[in-house]
Amino acid sequence: AQKITQTQPGMFVQEKEAVTLDCTYDTSDPSYGLFWYKQPSSGEMIFLIYQGSYDQQNATEGRYSLNFQKARKSANLVISASQLGDSAMYFCAMRERVRTGANSKLTFGKGITLSVRP
Amino acid sequence: GAGVSQSPSNKVTEKGKDVELRCDPISGHTALYWYRQSLGQGLEFLIYFQGNSAPDKSGLPSDRFSAERTGGSVSTLTIQRTQQEDSAVYLCASSLAHGGGDGELFFGEGSRLTVL
């Protein structure tokens, strides 16, 4: 089974509107972390936000927030007030066994392309 | 250096040749990762180094692929007898120790490999 699932093929949003990018994950580990990265056309990978499985509150970073629903195993990224510069590929990723520290590679989803329309 | 440095940025080679890709992580980062990204696709995990621990090689696609990390710093990814399907961008990333769990990965700009 895939660890990280991002099924939206491509998303379009009007500038200044909010958009939600979906991510579901699969793990039996009680301790894990979830990450979102942005990859613009230039190819660089930009870290956006992190959510730990034990965190009591949903993570927020500026215009980015994470809608973490643990029971549903979803970690959707919400971008508020979209800007043209938000057009990029967005990747959800997971790190398992956070507390033991073992096997802490990040497993990435296939990504979602977001296009912001002026 | 200030960030993760990878070289070469572009490499074109002929099928069957060996290639070496280099990664210089951020100073002080004990964890180093190699990923592969084919055109328009997600990141495929290859190998992970953490300090003096045995590396996690579970993502290497075949025995043609190998990597080493010398002195806990610079890493070299070697692909022997390259095939056309090896064409991709090879991304290196580094992070601080994983104890806290939220250690984000800092990525280099990648090495684009084209096998003719």
Side-chain angles (χ1 to χ4, degrees), chain B residues 5-20:
Chain B
S5 177
Q6 291 188 246
S7 62
S9 55
N10 274 289
K11 176 72 176 179
V12 180
T13 191
E14 293 180 347
K15 178 182 173 181
K17 300 283 190 183
D18 297 351
V19 296
E20 285 189 349

Side-chain angles (χ1 to χ4, degrees), chain A residues 33 35 37 39 42-47 50 89 91 95 98-111, chain B residues 33 35 37 40-45 48 50 56 58-59 91 95 98-109:
Chain A
F35 299 72
Y37 279 81
Q39 188 179 43
S42 58
E44 61 188 306
M45 291 288 287
I46 303 168
F47 167 74
Y50 168 82
M89 194 97 166
F91 292 96
R95 169 182 283 140
V98 162
R99 292 207 168 167
T100 63
N103 194 25
S104 60
K105 67 188 180 189
L106 253 63
T107 300
F108 285 81
K110 295 187 181 300
Chain B
Y33 312 73
Y35 288 87
Q37 186 176 28
Q41 300 299 308
L43 275 70
E44 175 189 4
F45 168 75
Y48 160 65
Q50 171 57 53
D56 177 355
S58 60
L91 291 164
S95 73
H98 47 59
D102 60 348
E104 66 189 83
L105 270 60
F106 293 82
F107 283 84
E109 295 188 351

Side-chain angles (χ1 to χ4, degrees), chain A residues 10-30:
Chain A
M11 293 287 287
F12 293 87
V13 64
Q14 202 68 30
E15 194 177 8
K16 300 180 184 178
E17 298 289 316
V19 63
T20 298
L21 306 181
D22 295 343
C23 173
T24 58
Y25 58 91
D26 180 28
T27 182
S28 57
D29 197 325

Side-chain angles (χ1 to χ4, degrees), chain A:
Chain A
Q2 288 205 21
K3 293 282 188 180
I4 296 288
T5 301
Q6 296 180 262
T7 57
Q8 295 162 308
M11 293 287 287
F12 293 87
V13 64
Q14 202 68 30
E15 194 177 8
K16 300 180 184 178
E17 298 289 316
V19 63
T20 298
L21 306 181
D22 295 343
C23 173
T24 58
Y25 58 91
D26 180 28
T27 182
S28 57
D29 197 325
S31 178
Y32 53 90
L34 297 157
F35 299 72
W36 277 91
Y37 279 81
K38 170 185 177 182
Q39 188 179 43
S41 58
S42 58
E44 61 188 306
M45 291 288 287
I46 303 168
F47 167 74
L48 297 178
I49 196 167
Y50 168 82
Q51 178 83 46
S53 60
Y54 291 108
D55 292 346
Q56 296 298 312
Q57 294 186 325
N58 287 348
T60 61
E61 287 287 347
R63 295 187 297 112
Y64 304 107
S65 61
L66 207 151
N67 183 2
F68 181 46
Q69 298 188 41
K70 196 170 181 177
R72 296 180 60 186
K73 294 188 176 179
S74 74
N76 299 339
L77 177 71
V78 180
I79 305 174
S80 63
S82 297
Q83 301 172 356
L84 296 178
D86 293 335
S87 294
M89 194 97 166
Y90 288 81
F91 292 96
C92 179
M94 177 173 64
R95 169 182 283 140
E96 296 175 284
R97 302 182 217 178
V98 162
R99 292 207 168 167
T100 63
N103 194 25
S104 60
K105 67 188 180 189
L106 253 63
T107 300
F108 285 81
K110 295 187 181 300
I112 302 167
T113 301
L114 175 67
S115 299
V116 180
R117 291 169 167 156

